[in-house]
Amino acid sequence: MTYTLWLADYADPISFFDILTKNNPQNYGHYDDTVFSQQITAAHNQNATNTQSYWQNMRTAAKRLNQTAAVVPLYNMTESHLVNSNLNGVSYHGGWRKRLYACLLQIIVWVLK
């Protein structure tokens, strides 16, 4: 068992999944699963340009992580804003977070199907 932290670089689950591949230096827990690895390899290679197949790889990889209990999330970074509806002219630059959260929510929904 190991404790680690990762914040995605971009709004795609593969940013998280890549860490759990066998040869990733940040795979501190030495997770190694053939089914998971096949899905990630396919997503990077033959399915990289096929949106439907790529996302099927992501769903299958996420399900496999859940089946093998590879990751146990202990903390989820969140951000809150208390904003008065009469406040004008404020610009929030958290668009990447919204895309990331939307992507992660989609993964959760697909995994639960």
Side-chain angles (χ1 to χ4, degrees):
M1 181 181 285
T2 185
Y3 174 77
T4 190
L5 166 72
W6 182 254
L7 181 62
D9 299 322
Y10 46 92
D12 191 309
I14 207 152
S15 181
F16 292 103
F17 293 163
D18 279 342
I19 293 171
L20 295 170
T21 56
K22 182 179 180 178
N23 296 320
N24 190 303
Q26 292 177 306
N27 183 0
Y28 302 123
H30 305 288
Y31 179 71
D32 184 16
D33 181 78
T34 304
V35 174
F36 177 80
S37 295
Q38 289 171 344
Q39 296 303 311
I40 300 306
T41 299
H44 277 295
N45 296 313
Q46 68 264 27
N47 294 334
T49 58
N50 181 327
T51 304
Q52 185 174 358
S53 296
Y54 175 85
W55 285 105
Q56 183 58 52
N57 291 137
M58 295 295 97
R59 287 189 292 272
T60 305
K63 285 180 184 179
R64 186 62 182 169
L65 288 177
N66 287 338
Q67 291 168 349
T68 60
V71 178
V72 178
L74 299 176
Y75 174 77
N76 183 28
M77 189 163 67
T78 61
E79 187 174 301
S80 299
H81 299 273
L82 180 61
V83 180
N84 185 321
S85 61
N86 295 324
L87 183 63
N88 295 314
V90 177
S91 178
Y92 295 99
H93 301 286
W96 68 271
R97 286 187 186 107
K98 290 178 185 176
R99 289 189 303 274
L100 176 62
Y101 295 150
C103 179
L104 293 176
L105 287 174
Q106 287 176 344
I107 293 167
I108 291 167
V109 168
W110 286 328
V111 169
L112 295 175
K113 284 185 180 180

